[in-house]
Amino acid sequence: MVKNTILQLLKLGYPLFQKLLPYQVYTYLATGALNTALNIGIFMLCYQLFNTSMIAVEAATAIALLLTILSGYWLQMNFVFTESGSDKKRRAGQLTKYALVAIQGQLSAYLLTKTMIIVLHLNASCAYILTTVFMLTVNYFLQKYFTFKKAKRLS
């Protein structure tokens, strides 16, 4: 039911972007936006639960990242890179690769943003926006050609 609802919403929104983006890029951005909103919601909820703790931000960030790695993988597997294969062994490897790309993306985005602020003296918001666009592009290709690459067929 959830999968079908998300699919219908994606199909409903695509005509607005059809002239700008291929369907796969559109679904990548749309499911990424959904997963980002989920990440923020989980972070805010966890932060409120842990706000008396010295490690509230760290705990909320870790929990939100873990849960949205799982939801992001599910979203991309079911709506973006659907042609990548479906056997359980392959899916386990894909989840591991997805997690590595996601964690790399978080770390790279942090380091790139800090570098732009410190070295290039960019405004923090500008640096964050530039980093986000760059990392979205890099992560799309990593997910497409590393995590969810099409299975080779035996002749």
Side-chain angles (χ1 to χ4, degrees):
M1 184 171 155
V2 171
K3 186 176 175 180
N4 197 31
T5 301
I6 293 170
L7 186 59
Q8 294 307 314
L9 289 171
L10 288 169
K11 287 182 179 181
L12 183 67
Y14 184 58
L16 298 171
F17 300 95
Q18 193 168 3
K19 292 183 179 179
L20 299 170
L21 302 168
Y23 187 71
Q24 188 177 56
V25 174
Y26 162 76
T27 57
Y28 177 78
L29 293 172
T31 59
L34 175 63
N35 206 47
T36 299
L38 181 62
N39 182 279
I40 292 167
I42 293 170
F43 173 85
M44 290 169 49
L45 176 67
C46 290
Y47 184 75
Q48 290 302 312
L49 291 172
F50 300 125
N51 73 359
T52 57
S53 169
M54 296 278 292
I55 59 164
V57 171
E58 292 81 1
T61 300
I63 292 168
L65 179 62
L66 176 65
L67 292 176
T68 53
I69 282 174
L70 296 173
S71 61
Y73 171 73
W74 183 82
L75 287 165
Q76 287 193 15
M77 176 185 65
N78 286 290
F79 303 106
V80 182
F81 303 111
T82 56
E83 73 283 351
S84 67
S86 62
D87 63 86
K88 287 184 181 186
K89 184 177 179 183
R90 184 164 172 76
R91 293 263 165 108
Q94 287 176 335
L95 177 57
T96 301
K97 289 178 181 181
Y98 182 87
L100 290 171
V101 170
I103 292 166
Q104 164 281 138
Q106 289 288 317
L107 181 60
S108 296
Y110 171 76
L111 294 173
L112 188 55
T113 301
K114 283 295 258 189
T115 300
M116 287 185 191
I117 294 167
I118 294 168
V119 176
L120 301 177
H121 305 288
L122 286 180
N123 169 283
S125 296
C126 182
Y128 189 76
I129 290 167
L130 290 171
T131 296
T132 299
V133 170
F134 177 74
M135 291 311 302
L136 277 172
T137 305
V138 168
N139 284 346
Y140 172 78
F141 288 108
L142 284 172
Q143 298 298 11
K144 182 172 182 155
Y145 296 110
F146 174 66
T147 304
F148 295 104
K149 68 181 176 185
K150 292 180 185 178
K152 292 181 181 178
R153 294 191 176 186
L154 299 174
S155 299

